Amino acid sequence: MTDERRKFKRESAEARKEALILATLELVAENGVRGATVRGIAERADVTQGLIRHYFSSKEELIIAAYEHHMNQMTDLTFAPGAAAGSARARLRAFVDGSLTPPVVDPRALALWASFLNKVQNDPQMKETHQRTYAYFRDRLEALIAAALEEAGHPAPAARLRQLAIACNAVIDGLWLEGGALPDAFAAGELVEIGRQSVAAITGLDLEQEAET
Amino acid sequence: MTDERRKFKRESAEARKEALILATLELVAENGVRGATVRGIAERADVTQGLIRHYFSSKEELIIAAYEHHMNQMTDLTFAPGAAAGSARARLRAFVDGSLTPPVVDPRALALWASFLNKVQNDPQMKETHQRTYAYFRDRLEALIAAALEEAGHPAPAARLRQLAIACNAVIDGLWLEGGALPDAFAAGELVEIGRQSVAAITGLDLEQEAET
DNA sequence: CGAGTAATTATGCAAGTGTATAATTTCTCC
DNA sequence: GGAGAAATTATACACTTGCATAATTACTCG
């Protein structure tokens, strides 16, 4: 009954890194960045802690990698549905729908966002990633609104477009936040419905009817 | 040159507790809940760490006290401006203004909210405080919208009122979030302007003109 | 002004933290 | 199937953490 050394299987660097990143995101969502300890992450990834040092030169580096992984995933999830062509109105609607449906609306996604916020404000690299992602979101939304307004024959000047984009982005962010914070407070589809109506009311567009005369 | 024992002044329990709570909020905003160490808090409050134990039986208890202090302060700040009587429309406008102006819109307030979120989701007591505060906000907003609509001669059924309140709350929350996250991205008064316009567009009310025919 | 008491400081401890480094195992390739 | 190299494990260390407890100080009240 000697204490045997642990058996293990060699994995590719990519697979191991991803596994470590996923384990990190789980623990950051549950316990925050400081609560995601190296030992905890290693255990969650079914690996000993020394291995983390082998792939990431510090915990800081792992955290940053996990943050960028998460942000990329959120971006993909939001824009994937609307990538398919169609009228600008349809694409705008798809953007709203994608932003207000799981897995984008999700307690875990909100928890991750909140957990990372502190580091995002302080660490320059993470701050840069954050600002770039945010700008990408809003610019894309602004372009969608501009196209939809033009399509409807109601083009708007740049200054107004900026305000509309900020406002629509805010409703979506706010609904996303509330949906993640109080998952049981809203019926299925309710957030999407309210999101569509609000964006429609703010922009003056009709997002519901599909037919084009 | 003997190491002298530190001089100190006795304070009332209330003053000390408040000082400790304020120091705690500072550190939580800067470093998160786990980053707000007992030693750090004591240093910020210009006190030795043992004193914390004297007033709070555990760090957990201090954190909860700090959270409730912060939530109460935010509530007061939001509703104080609109307490003065006036038309429902004016009170609704005051609510929007107060929610989208410093010190409610503030990087520190956002950082605190984010830092506490994890604990809010897990700790039952903090969860209860959070849900109560959120419900208070939204009910109050819904009542304001209902009154303003009726005042304007456009009463709405309960189901629609609920949706309007959720939507308006979301715009405000979203603008609050973005204003706190990117303080330099918005000109002074811009958030308030966009907030007013959005709430007006969603509800169909005119929040700008003051005169009543 | 002097004793008592509560506020405050000082010190210690066990557990957990990130990181560094040595020891071992698995896999590849000839 | 065996040697070499890289992946993985194991161990150790210095530091921080929350908490407990003893020692001292400042204020109150007679």
Side-chain angles (χ1 to χ4, degrees), chain B residues 110-176:
Chain B
L110 177 62
L112 277 174
W113 184 88
S115 296
F116 279 125
L117 183 70
N118 266 297
K119 275 209 159 293
V120 167
Q121 307 275 33
N122 297 331
D123 182 285
Q125 184 176 351
M126 292 182 72
K127 191 167 200 161
E128 198 276 334
T129 298
H130 171 249
Q131 292 184 337
R132 177 166 37 82
T133 308
Y134 175 78
Y136 180 66
F137 262 74
R138 211 177 73 190
D139 288 351
R140 183 116 179 198
L141 177 55
E142 186 170 329
L144 278 177
I145 293 174
L149 282 176
E150 233 168 299
E151 192 179 78
H154 298 296
R160 173 148 178 80
L161 277 179
R162 170 185 151 87
Q163 289 195 334
L164 292 179
I166 293 173
C168 291
N169 194 37
V171 207
I172 294 170
D173 278 0
L175 290 172
W176 170 82

Side-chain angles (χ1 to χ4, degrees), chain A residues 55-180:
Chain A
Y55 286 111
F56 300 92
S57 68
S58 69
K59 178 188 172 179
E60 182 82 5
E61 193 178 307
L62 172 56
I63 293 292
I64 291 177
Y67 176 64
E68 297 190 340
H69 179 100
H70 173 63
M71 292 300 269
N72 289 337
Q73 188 174 322
M74 293 293 282
T75 308
D76 293 349
L77 285 172
T78 309
F79 290 118
S87 67
R89 188 205 306 165
R91 276 180 289 136
L92 177 57
R93 195 177 45 212
F95 176 86
V96 174
D97 290 9
S99 303
L100 295 179
T101 319
V104 174
V105 168
D106 179 63
R108 183 176 175 275
L110 177 63
L112 277 174
W113 185 87
S115 296
F116 279 124
L117 183 70
N118 265 297
K119 275 210 158 296
V120 166
Q121 308 274 33
N122 297 333
D123 181 285
Q125 183 176 352
M126 291 182 71
K127 191 169 200 162
E128 198 276 333
T129 298
H130 172 247
Q131 291 184 339
R132 177 167 36 82
T133 308
Y134 176 76
Y136 179 65
F137 262 75
R138 211 176 74 188
D139 289 351
R140 183 116 178 198
L141 177 56
E142 185 170 329
L144 278 177
I145 293 174
L149 282 176
E150 235 169 297
E151 193 179 78
H154 297 295
R160 173 148 178 80
L161 276 179
R162 171 184 149 86
Q163 290 195 334
L164 292 180
I166 293 173
C168 290
N169 195 35
V171 207
I172 293 170
D173 278 0
L175 290 172
W176 170 80
L177 192 155
E178 290 166 29

Side-chain angles (χ1 to χ4, degrees), chain B residues 4-5 28 33 40-41 63 68 75 79 85 89 103 111 125 138 140-141 156 158 162 176-177 189 204 209:
Chain B
E4 288 180 358
R5 201 182 171 92
V28 168
V33 172
I41 294 168
I63 293 292
E68 297 191 340
T75 307
F79 291 118
R89 188 204 305 165
Q125 184 176 351
R138 211 177 73 190
R140 183 116 179 198
L141 177 55
R162 170 185 151 87
W176 170 82
L177 191 155
Q209 77 177 28

Side-chain angles (χ1 to χ4, degrees), chain A residues 42-62:
Chain A
E43 185 183 10
R44 191 67 65 103
D46 209 45
V47 137
T48 57
Q49 54 164 320
L51 193 59
I52 291 182
R53 255 294 263 174
H54 189 254
Y55 286 111
F56 300 92
S57 68
S58 69
K59 178 188 172 179
E60 182 82 5
E61 193 178 307
L62 172 56

Side-chain angles (χ1 to χ4, degrees), chain A residues 2-16:
Chain A
T2 63
D3 284 4
E4 288 180 358
R5 201 182 170 93
R6 184 173 168 152
K7 304 300 182 195
F8 62 90
K9 188 165 163 264
R10 291 168 86 130
E11 300 279 357
S12 75
E14 278 191 21
R16 270 282 133 86

Side-chain angles (χ1 to χ4, degrees), chain B residues 17-205:
Chain B
K17 278 192 176 184
E18 172 152 2
L20 288 173
I21 285 175
L22 293 181
T24 303
L25 288 174
E26 281 184 31
L27 285 180
V28 168
E30 293 172 18
N31 307 322
V33 172
R34 299 206 191 213
T37 68
V38 170
R39 282 169 180 79
I41 294 168
E43 185 183 10
R44 191 67 66 101
D46 209 46
V47 137
T48 55
Q49 52 164 321
L51 193 59
I52 291 182
R53 253 297 260 174
H54 189 255
Y55 286 111
F56 300 92
S57 68
S58 68
K59 178 186 172 182
E60 182 82 4
E61 192 178 308
L62 171 56
I63 293 292
I64 290 177
Y67 176 65
E68 297 191 340
H69 179 100
H70 173 63
M71 292 300 270
N72 289 337
Q73 188 173 322
M74 292 294 281
T75 307
D76 293 348
L77 285 171
T78 310
F79 291 118
S87 67
R89 188 204 305 165
R91 276 180 287 137
L92 177 56
R93 196 176 47 213
F95 176 86
V96 174
D97 290 9
S99 303
L100 295 178
T101 318
V104 174
V105 168
D106 178 64
R108 183 175 175 275
L110 177 62
L112 277 174
W113 184 88
S115 296
F116 279 125
L117 183 70
N118 266 297
K119 275 209 159 293
V120 167
Q121 307 275 33
N122 297 331
D123 182 285
Q125 184 176 351
M126 292 182 72
K127 191 167 200 161
E128 198 276 334
T129 298
H130 171 249
Q131 292 184 337
R132 177 166 37 82
T133 308
Y134 175 78
Y136 180 66
F137 262 74
R138 211 177 73 190
D139 288 351
R140 183 116 179 198
L141 177 55
E142 186 170 329
L144 278 177
I145 293 174
L149 282 176
E150 233 168 299
E151 192 179 78
H154 298 296
R160 173 148 178 80
L161 277 179
R162 170 185 151 87
Q163 289 195 334
L164 292 179
I166 293 173
C168 291
N169 194 37
V171 207
I172 294 170
D173 278 0
L175 290 172
W176 170 82
L177 191 155
E178 290 166 29
L182 303 164
D184 304 326
F186 305 96
E190 193 175 12
L191 289 178
V192 167
E193 184 188 352
I194 297 178
R196 284 190 185 186
Q197 290 176 358
S198 303
V199 169
I202 290 171
T203 59
L205 290 164

